[in-house]
Amino acid sequence: MTIHSKAPRLVLASASPRRLDLLRQIGIVPDTVDPADLDETPLRDELPPQHALRLAAEKASCVAARHPESWILAADTVVACGRRILPKAEREEEARRCLSLLSGRRHRVLGGIVLLVPTPGGGLEGHRRIDRLVRTDVTFKVLDRAETDAYIASGEWKGKAGGYAIQGRAGALVRWIGGSYSNVVGLSLHEVAGMLHGAGFPHPAPSDPPSER
């Protein structure tokens, strides 16, 4: 367990309001929200689990350089069909392709989580890294044209991995789920709470709202 002379500060390296809301749900309120701006394009021949963990680690490292004495929590969510990584849909045609691919099929939602714990030496090299990869299996019902059109019209797919948000209207499209529900939303609460507790971070965290960098 790491011993600190003052209360540790937790930085969430994510711009996702869903991850912030999930953490608040279990009483963990980051002191600062400082997203990392990275190219999230998969590398050549990179498999979905590798992609999720790599991006989470790169986000954490990038933000740790700006907060050398803070705890850094970073995550990335990947929706995968087989070896194929589905995009974060930004255009309607992307969302439609994702929904067509997911219709009537089982897919995986992979959550890469990285926690950087500062050590007495400080600096990026002074952080101890803890990481987890969480897998949730999700099966969609067979979607007809009307259901697809209605979901596209909702706009909930914008910026979402795989073109859907399970916590919204897409919940009615999910026939079966195996594993962590919060992982599909954006962050496995069970894993994060265990990682923080195991590393010695006090819980619950202060309830003051986080500052924006």
Side-chain angles (χ1 to χ4, degrees), residues 52-53 56 111-115 130-134 191-192 194-195:
L53 273 178
I113 308 172
V114 170
L115 177 67
I130 304 169
D131 57 54
R132 297 286 188 275
L133 180 68
V134 183
E191 291 292 342
V192 168
M195 292 165 73

Side-chain angles (χ1 to χ4, degrees), residues 1 11 61 69 95 103 111 115 128 155-156 162 189 199 210:
M1 179 180 294
V11 177
S61 295
E69 297 183 357
S103 176
L115 177 67
R128 176 167 60 94
E156 288 185 353
L189 294 179

Side-chain angles (χ1 to χ4, degrees), residues 168-186:
R169 297 186 183 189
L173 311 180
V174 174
R175 185 168 61 83
W176 177 87
I177 180 171
S180 169
Y181 171 83
S182 62
N183 178 53
V184 185
V185 178

Side-chain angles (χ1 to χ4, degrees), residues 50-65:
Q50 297 169 338
H51 183 64
L53 273 178
R54 177 179 65 82
L55 285 184
E58 289 184 359
K59 291 175 184 179
S61 295
C62 177
V63 173

Side-chain angles (χ1 to χ4, degrees), residues 94-122:
E94 285 184 316
R96 285 189 180 276
R97 283 197 297 269
C98 287
L99 292 175
S100 176
L101 188 62
L102 298 176
S103 176
R105 296 182 58 182
R106 180 178 299 187
H107 64 275
R108 294 171 294 153
V109 179
L110 302 164
I113 308 172
V114 170
L115 177 67
L116 296 183
V117 182
T119 58

